[in-house]
């Protein structure tokens, strides 16, 4: 079990008002899973993802990453955990504009203090896997949306995490590019034995799921587990 | 650790960076220029002051304490001989001269004025007032034939311009001076005006007269002198040579006390204090200005990158690392800006110096050049001041950036 949540709740306070965005969610993911959480806008997808990514604090319950409870960790310990164990892919790519594609992918390795030859090996390897090796020197503003998301996917995998979390990774892409990005993620999931958890409201993305979970009003309901022919897409 | 990110971020919004750089650079250049001006001016005032007072003076403590009644302060010939012996053996001493001072009444057939006389050795190499004699007055052309004092002419005198006007005297005219002898008797002597002098000080021009020391001794009926004025080869050596001489005077059992030029020149101390305060105020104003403007510039620049900060925090960058990255950027801005300011200040200052501007202060003989002393020694202070102002101004925006809430930052556009 690389990820587990127990009775996970999140209540936002806006002035006097309390907004329950997540209501006691029990969830788990195993190594190598490819899970899609599907739900309409406002259903609590981002809230859930932020909590398991340890970038936000939950109100009640617990998040366990590789068996380790996170509630009581300090700000720095959480940063350490995110850096080593979790990869993140965002809806709007979130690359660092002053860095080239290569440097963006390299960035987490600098945080980890990996030596330069090892950095080069890993970064070039991943850029090749996501098919943009030739664009390594380009800055984000010289890349298309699909290319940027490939860079972001490479960045999320470069530290060799066991879990990658993606929040609506195709929402800013046209459907064709979205499908390409999803196939890349699915392939990397197979090749690297890394678990992917993708939240989306896009039904197309769901086709790539190995396991689909529905979210509505901050509550999860498990759908059937099925394997799709992602390679056909 | 991550040098390239702050460096590239610094130049990412050119207009904003230029504004920040310009403010820091202008502040630095301004402080550099003013410091250069103050330094140059103070140097000239020091030279002028030493010209007026010598590097140091030797006299009885009674004279310095202004206990001048009964003339007990006078240095008698046997003591003087010992002092001269010490001075002639002291390496740093270039020359020395003796003075005697007395007050008296200057009288012409129709007017009397109180004067203070300095009786001096004409044409000595230590302190001579002959170069103050007016030879180019536009209004009073009759003064222009004046000459300095000469060791040969006993009964001649130099008088100030104000006194010359008040007593209606010109070179060649006579007046009499009445003074008390050391025994308390009145004594009167004739004096012939050799020349009219000017000083920077109107009051002094109305009171001071210069006569040969031999005349002063005769008039006061004494062999003693009031003080010995010493010239040292190097201005910066004044204090060192003075204390060395003081040591030897004490060893010889002489009850004499030395005052250096800086102790004597109250005017110098005042102007030094004034320039110090002026410069301090300028530095403070520039720092405050740089502080607030740069803080504004950095706050806006960092605010624009909120989502980026959220991103790098989300993927595992610690707060302290975000702090270092943004602080580094501010350090670079401060160092670049201050350095640019020095170069700018130097270039503009050279241009200004090349113009050769000068002004004639009231009472001065020749125009005083207005120059900026653009030395390396004057560069480090402006550099440090604006670099530090920049760093301080960055603390708040940098801290705020390091402390953002990740999810909120990720939500911003
Ligand atoms: N920071 C916040 N403050 C207040 N309410 C929030 C905040 N973030 C999300 N919400 C609310 O929580 C619910 C779930 O939001 P979110 O997790 O963003 O949904 P989704 O990603 O599925 O669109 C929504 O009702 C939303 O308005
Ligand atoms: Mg969302």
């Amino acid at each position: 079990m690389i990820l587990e949540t127990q009775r996970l709740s999140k209540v936002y306070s806006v002035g006097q008002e309390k907004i329950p965005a997540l209501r006691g969610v029990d969830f788990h993911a195993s190594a190598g899973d490819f899970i899609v959480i599907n739900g309409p806008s406002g259903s609590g997808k981002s809230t859930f993802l932020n909590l398991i990514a340890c970038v936000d604090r939950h109100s009640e319950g617990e998040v366990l990453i590789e068996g380790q409870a996170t509630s009581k960790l300090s700000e720095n310990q959480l940063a350490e955990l995110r850096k080593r164990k979790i990869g993140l892919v965002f809806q709007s790519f979130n690359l660092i504009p002053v860095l080239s594609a290569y440097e963006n992918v390299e960035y987490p390795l600098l945080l980890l203090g990996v030596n330069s030859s090892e950095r080069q090996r890993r970064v070039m390897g991943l850029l090749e896997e996501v098919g943009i090796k030739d664009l390594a020197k380009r800055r984000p503003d010289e890349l298309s949306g699909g290319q940027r998301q490939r860079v972001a996917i490479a960045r999320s995998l470069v530290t060799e995490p066991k879990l990658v979390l993606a929040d609506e990774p195709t929402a800013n892409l046209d459907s064709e590019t979205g499908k390409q990005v999803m196939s890349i993620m699915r392939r990397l999931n197979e090749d690297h034995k890394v678990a992917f958890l993708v939240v989306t409201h896009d039904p197309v993305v769901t086709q790539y799921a190995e396991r689909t979970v529905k979210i509505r009003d901050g509550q999860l309901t498990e759908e059937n587990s099925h394997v799709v022919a992602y390679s056909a897409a | 650790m991550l040098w390239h990110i702050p460096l590239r971020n610094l130049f990412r919004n050119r207009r904003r960076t230029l504004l920040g750089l310009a403010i820091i650079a202008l502040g630095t250049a301004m402080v550099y220029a003013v410091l250069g001006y103050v330094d140059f001016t103070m140097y000239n005032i020091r030279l002028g002051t030493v010209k007026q007072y010598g590097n140091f003076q030797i006299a009885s403590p009674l004279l310095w304490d202004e206990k001048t009644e009964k003339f007990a302060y006078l240095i008698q010939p046997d003591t003087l001989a010992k002092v001269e012996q010490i001075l002639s053996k002291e390496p740093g001493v270039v020359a020395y001269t003796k003075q005697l001072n007395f007050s008296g009444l200057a009288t012409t057939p129709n007017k009397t004025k109180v004067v203070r006389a300095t009786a001096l050795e004409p044409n000595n190499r230590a302190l001579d007032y002959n170069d103050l004699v007016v030879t180019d007055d536009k209004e009073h052309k009759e003064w222009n034939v004046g000459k300095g004092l000469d060791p040969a002419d006993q009964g001649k005198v130099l008088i100030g311009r104000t006194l010359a006007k008040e007593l209606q005297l010109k070179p060649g005219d006579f007046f009499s001076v009445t003074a008390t002898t050391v025994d308390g008797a009145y004594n009167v002597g004739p004096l012939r005006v050799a020349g009219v002098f000017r000083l920077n000080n109107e009051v002094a021009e109305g009171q001071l007269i210069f006569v040969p020391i031999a005349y002063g001794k005769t008039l006061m009926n004494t062999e003693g002198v009031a003080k010995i004025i010493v010239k040292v080869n190097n201005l910066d050596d004044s204090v060192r040579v003075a204390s060395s001489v003081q040591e030897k005077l004490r060893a010889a059992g002489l009850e004499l006390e030395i005052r250096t030029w800086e102790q004597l020149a109250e005017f110098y101390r005042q102007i030094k204090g004034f320039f110090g305060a002026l410069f301090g105020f300028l530095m403070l104003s520039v720092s405050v200005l740089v502080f607030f403007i740069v803080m504004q510039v950095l706050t806006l620049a960092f605010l624009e990158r909120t989502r980026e900060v959220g991103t790098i925090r989300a993927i595992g960058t610690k707060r302290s690392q975000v702090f270092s990255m943004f602080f580094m950027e501010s350090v670079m801005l401060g160092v670049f800006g201050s350095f640019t300011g020095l170069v700018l200040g130097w270039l503009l200052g050279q241009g200004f110096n090349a113009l050769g501007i000068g002004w004639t202060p009231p009472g001065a003989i020749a125009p005083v050049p207005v120059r900026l002393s653009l030395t390396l020694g004057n560069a480090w202070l402006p550099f440090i001041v604006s670099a530090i102002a920049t760093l301080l101004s960055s603390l708040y925006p940098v801290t705020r950036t390091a402390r953002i809430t990740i999810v909120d930052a990720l939500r911003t556009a």
Side-chain angles (χ1 to χ4, degrees), chain B residues 84-101:
Chain B
E84 294 193 289
Q85 181 82 12
I86 290 169
L87 288 176
S88 59
K89 283 189 197 146
E90 184 67 32
V93 172
V94 174
Y96 59 88
T97 185
K98 293 144 298 206
Q99 281 188 358
L100 184 59
N101 312 79

Side-chain angles (χ1 to χ4, degrees), chain B residues 51-104:
Chain B
K51 213 172 153 223
Q52 193 181 339
Y53 290 93
N55 292 76
F56 60 87
Q57 302 186 353
I58 305 169
S60 157
L62 295 173
L63 179 76
W64 299 133
D65 296 343
E66 295 179 11
K67 293 186 180 127
T68 53
E69 67 272 16
K70 300 206 178 110
F71 301 98
Y73 65 85
L74 289 176
I75 304 168
Q76 297 306 326
D78 51 336
T79 308
L80 182 61
K82 288 179 195 160
V83 177
E84 294 193 289
Q85 181 82 12
I86 290 169
L87 288 176
S88 59
K89 283 189 197 146
E90 184 67 32
V93 172
V94 174
Y96 59 88
T97 185
K98 293 144 298 206
Q99 281 188 358
L100 184 59
N101 312 79
F102 61 90
S103 310

Side-chain angles (χ1 to χ4, degrees), chain B residues 30-51:
Chain B
M30 199 155 113
V31 174
Y32 189 34
V34 172
L35 184 59
Y37 172 71
V38 169
D39 188 46
F40 179 84
T41 307
M42 287 304 290
Y43 176 74
N44 279 307
I45 293 175
R46 274 203 298 281
L47 286 185
T49 311
V50 170
K51 213 172 153 223

Side-chain angles (χ1 to χ4, degrees), chain A residues 50 55-56 75-76 79-80 82-83 88 92 94 96-99 103 107 110-111 139 155, chain B residues 2 4-5 8-9 12 307-308 311-319 321 325 406-407 410:
Chain A
N50 287 340
V55 296
D56 202 1
E75 194 71 32
N76 273 347
E80 196 68 24
R82 292 194 297 268
K83 179 167 75 181
L88 289 178
S92 5
N94 290 18
I96 303 173
V98 293
L99 298 183
E103 290 164 333
Y107 178 86
L110 293 173
L111 291 181
R139 295 268 175 109
R155 178 176 69 182
Chain B
L2 304 156
H4 56 306
I5 299 181
R8 288 187 207 167
N9 274 328
R12 131 185 214 189
R307 201 164 61 127
E308 271 166 71
T311 305
I312 60 171
R313 290 275 286 116
I315 63 178
T317 313
K318 291 183 178 144
R319 277 182 180 166
Q321 291 172 313
M325 248 187 254
I406 303 173
V407 277
L410 285 173

